[in-house]
């Protein structure tokens, strides 16, 4: 099974900062990777799919990159409404493993 | 508008059974694979099971294999998860999610809480 490792597990940044979250797959998954945002007490929401394609309605300050085994989610200018936990998920094959999550807070 | 509504959760004792349902609307249910994803209290997301559009392909996480059964009824636009031999560690919010053909979950239900406790 493919293992997904996210780093960091949590971060605290100021409004307007550039934030980067990394997700590493234990084996190559080409671009079969999705990112989700889960705000406290809410349902997960798809942010990015196919590693770099923004889901409709997602602000353009979010972007994704990577291929193979290393992927990144970047928030170009952190906003208060971005406080959430972010998860990557490999979509290459079952089991569709999630990363352990990265909790983003405002400093 | 795509809607996924879970039902059937609740409190059950260890070793008990529950059947979750997910009612789908707003899209052609019979053409999409579907997933169950769970989240234990204060923990991360865990993929549980997937079923293809025609039920030809079914997959389970090792943690539930042999105890849970996923199924669907395309005539009723419904997804199910039969959960047997429940354990305390199965306590979680269970989400029904629609799967894009390439595997990501583009729509999620509101979730339903399953609590396994004596």
């Amino acid at each position: 099974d493919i293992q997904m490792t996210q780093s960091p597990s949590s971060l605290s940044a100021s409004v307007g900062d550039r934030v980067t979250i990394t997700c590493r797959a234990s084996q190559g998954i080409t671009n079969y990777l999705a990112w989700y945002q889960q705000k406290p007490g809410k349902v997960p929401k798809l942010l990015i799919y196919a590693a770099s394609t923004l889901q409709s309605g997602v602000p353009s300050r979010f972007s994704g990159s990577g291929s193979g085994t290393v992927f990144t989610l970047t928030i170009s200018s952190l906003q208060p409404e971005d406080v959430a936990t972010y998860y990557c998920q490999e979509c290459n094959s079952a089991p569709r493993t999630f990363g352990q999550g990265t909790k983003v807070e405002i400093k | 508008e795509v809607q996924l509504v879970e039902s059937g959760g609740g409190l059950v004792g260890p070793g008990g059974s529950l059947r979750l349902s997910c009612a789908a609307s707003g899209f052609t249910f019979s053409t999409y694979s579907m997933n169950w994803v769970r989240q234990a209290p204060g923990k991360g997301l865990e993929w549980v099971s997937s079923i293809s559009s025609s039920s030809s392909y079914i997959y389970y996480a090792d943690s539930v294999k042999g105890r849970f059964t996923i199924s669907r009824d395309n005539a009723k636009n419904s997804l199910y998860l039969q959960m047997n031999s429940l354990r305390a560690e199965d306590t979680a919010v269970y989400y029904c999610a629609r799967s894009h053909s390439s595997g990501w979950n583009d729509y999620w239900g509101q979730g339903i809480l399953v609590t396994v406790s004596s």
Side-chain angles (χ1 to χ4, degrees):
Chain A
D1 295 351
I2 298 172
Q3 308 302 315
M4 306 300 291
T5 304
Q6 280 182 242
S7 59
S9 56
S10 65
L11 65 90
S12 181
S14 299
V15 172
D17 281 356
R18 183 181 184 88
V19 168
T20 299
I21 299 168
T22 300
C23 180
R24 287 183 167 81
S26 60
Q27 57 186 269
I29 56 172
T30 58
N31 69 336
Y32 283 89
L33 185 102
W35 290 97
Y36 302 91
Q37 175 193 62
Q38 187 178 32
K39 295 184 177 181
K42 301 297 185 182
V43 176
K45 170 188 168 184
L46 177 65
L47 283 183
I48 288 170
Y49 60 91
S52 60
T53 304
L54 212 61
Q55 174 71 338
S56 175
V58 174
S60 59
R61 63 181 179 275
F62 290 93
S63 64
S65 65
S67 182
T69 61
V70 182
F71 303 86
T72 59
L73 171 68
T74 299
I75 308 173
S76 61
S77 176
L78 187 67
Q79 300 302 304
E81 59 267 32
D82 300 334
V83 168
T85 301
Y86 295 84
Y87 296 92
C88 62
Q89 184 194 22
E90 69 90 1
C91 305
N92 186 58
S93 61
R96 302 263 166 87
T97 309
F98 288 90
Q100 78 275 24
T102 296
K103 188 174 184 179
V104 174
E105 298 175 322
I106 300 290
K107 194 181 292 183
Chain B
E1 179 193 5
V2 172
Q3 283 200 311
L4 298 168
V5 179
E6 301 93 341
S7 61
L11 174 65
V12 62
S17 297
L18 274 180
R19 189 195 197 205
L20 303 184
S21 299
C22 172
S25 61
F27 66 102
T28 306
F29 180 74
S30 61
T31 64
Y32 284 87
S33 293
M34 298 294 294
N35 298 308
W36 287 101
V37 176
R38 70 184 180 183
Q39 187 169 35
K43 302 297 184 182
L45 301 173
E46 179 187 15
W47 172 83
V48 173
S49 183
S50 294
I51 186 168
S52 63
S53 58
S54 60
S55 305
S56 298
Y57 301 97
I58 288 175
Y59 306 97
Y60 298 99
D62 286 346
S63 58
V64 307
K65 203 172 294 182
R67 300 187 298 122
F68 290 12
T69 302
I70 192 172
S71 62
R72 64 190 296 160
D73 185 335
N74 287 343
K76 295 182 177 179
N77 291 340
S78 293
L79 174 72
Y80 306 101
L81 186 68
Q82 177 67 44
M83 304 186 295
N84 298 330
S85 303
L86 282 161
R87 307 166 179 167
E89 54 265 36
D90 295 318
T91 295
V93 173
Y94 285 73
Y95 296 101
C96 158
R98 189 180 84 167
S99 180
H100 183 276
S101 57
S102 295
W104 40 85
N105 301 305
D106 55 2
Y107 287 93
W108 297 63
Q110 284 300 116
I112 190 84
L113 178 62
V114 171
T115 303
V116 183
S117 176
S118 55

